Amino acid sequence: MRLPINSETTAHSVLRRFIALLLVLAVAFAAGYFLPAEEDASEETLLDPILSFFRPAKAYAETPSDVPAYVRVGLYYGNTAKTSVTLGCAGGFFLGSGGNWGFTKDVSLEGYPQITFTASGGVITGVDGNGTAVASNVASGVCVWPASGGRVTITAGSSTKTYRGGVILYAWENSLTVVNLVGIEQYLYGVINAEMYYTNPEEALKAQAVAARSFACVAQNTHKAYGFDVCSTTHCQVYRGVSGETTATTAAVDATKGQCVRYNGQVVRTYYSSNNGGWIMDIKDAWGSTSPYCLAKEDPYTPVLAWNAVLTYDEIAQRLNAIGRGVGTVTSVDVTKRTDYGYVTELTITGTERTTVFTRSQILNDFAAPLMKSQNFILIDNTKEAMLYTISEGAASEGETAEENAAAEPVVSSTTGTVTVLSGDGTAAELSTSELSVQGESQTVQIPTTAEISGVKSVCFYGSGNGHSVGMSQDGAKEMAKQGFTFDEILKFYYSGTEVY
Ligand SMILES: [Zn+2]
């Protein structure tokens, strides 16, 4: 993927651009015009607003730092790129260049509270609310910054959203890639509530803020091909701009300003997921890479989040065909490797034509997504007539103990009247269902009917957790905060051998 650039590529145009750039730079230096982005840049207009100007997408070296001042967040790109986008700001705009160092002003368009930018042949044109051209032949990569430090509204199609910072526009033929250039702390304001709801304990929100900041630092240039750092979806971190901000999450960002999780002084890639099912997974068991701070460790804080999925052999065959990994008619589904802490790292499906093996996170992401919630599961193949049971939450009625409820309405039943139990050494014992009891609060046991066992060929997955289970478990962080742990204690628990500063 090429970085979108101005479509003019002849030697002549390059020379023209170079000369124009020199002129812009000379004027800018003469005027002392390199401003910190957040400051009010209200000097008189230096250049005619109706101007053709040229500059390469990257005019200046970006500040080498592990905590960038600014983050480039992709909003519309690839198949969501727009043919036009309307920017609004009561005080009008400046045009210039932007990057992780901030914004550099070239042109003032302060008299224009609304500008619609359109791409055509790799070149950007801007018109005001009356349709009058205010910027023509603008090079791809231009940064549009709200004047007077205001916020910018971005209208694309029927959607209008408000953002802090400015907007970088890349033209690729007739489509616009739209990027929000925003201070890293202000970016986090729009992230935290989307990743961890604002009602959670303060220390958990602060841990989330530091994890999200660290991730943003390390994730610079994740989407380099499109000219930005992070996208606004779960692929990187969910970001909703100003509409995603809350008082509590903004306070968590402010209280931890600039702090990151570090290993040997370096900011670490702080993977986190919703619920790890009871163990922090070693990164090598998820993605095959190794990391000294993403090690396996029992997690006593994360509450068990149970899930299950039932798939018939036919459904599995269809899913495999859909992802180009068909095996013909499925004949068996087996867990063929587990970590020593019990998480599945290899799932093998054999069919009449071939065998296909899903390893590590492929099990979660490729095989039967999104039914598979974690790599922490047991698999029961009904075609092998295993006796299947689930433990799910139930509750006694009001004024009734769980024991009374169980006595009145036995929840364990079997059409055969017996259940076989295997002990650890493999000894089988047959129990009548009336002898069964389940330890734990408000739990019930369900036995499938004979029809489920002998009928359609299927497998059942019974698991716990939700997500990749590497690094911080958000549910565990919430529980630790409830138990009185501070945000840095939470982070140091989940990221082995790290410091927070
Ligand atoms: Zn992304």
Side-chain angles (χ1 to χ4, degrees), residues 77 215 222-223 228-237:
Y77 59 97
F215 187 93
T222 295
H223 294 272
F228 59 87
D229 298 309
V230 290
C231 65
S232 55
T233 74
T234 52
H235 176 267
C236 290
Q237 298 187 120

Side-chain angles (χ1 to χ4, degrees), residues 1-139:
M1 186 76 198
R2 291 164 58 195
L3 186 69
I5 54 168
N6 192 298
S7 63
E8 293 183 68
T9 54
T10 64
H12 176 68
S13 76
V14 170
L15 181 63
R16 242 181 349 127
R17 270 197 254 178
F18 181 67
I19 292 168
L21 175 65
L22 284 181
L23 285 172
V24 168
L25 286 175
V27 172
F29 274 117
Y33 225 54
F34 292 88
L35 303 171
E38 290 281 288
E39 286 183 24
D40 180 5
S42 58
E43 287 92 331
E44 286 299 300
T45 302
L46 284 173
L47 304 170
D48 184 349
I50 303 173
L51 175 84
S52 297
F53 68 94
F54 306 89
R55 64 166 59 251
K58 254 182 166 179
Y60 315 105
E62 293 173 4
T63 310
S65 164
D66 59 358
V67 183
Y70 285 79
V71 183
R72 298 169 300 171
V73 191
L75 302 178
Y76 303 106
Y77 59 97
N79 58 16
T80 63
K82 304 294 176 187
T83 51
S84 74
V85 65
T86 299
L87 306 185
C89 174
F93 296 94
F94 301 128
L95 302 190
S97 59
N100 298 108
W101 80 93
F103 171 72
T104 305
K105 181 173 92 171
D106 286 328
V107 180
S108 171
L109 293 173
E110 285 168 281
Y112 303 96
Q114 178 186 312
I115 305 176
T116 297
F117 292 94
T118 307
S120 178
V123 174
I124 297 167
T125 308
V127 300
D128 67 9
N130 302 317
T132 306
V134 294
S136 59
N137 205 19
V138 178

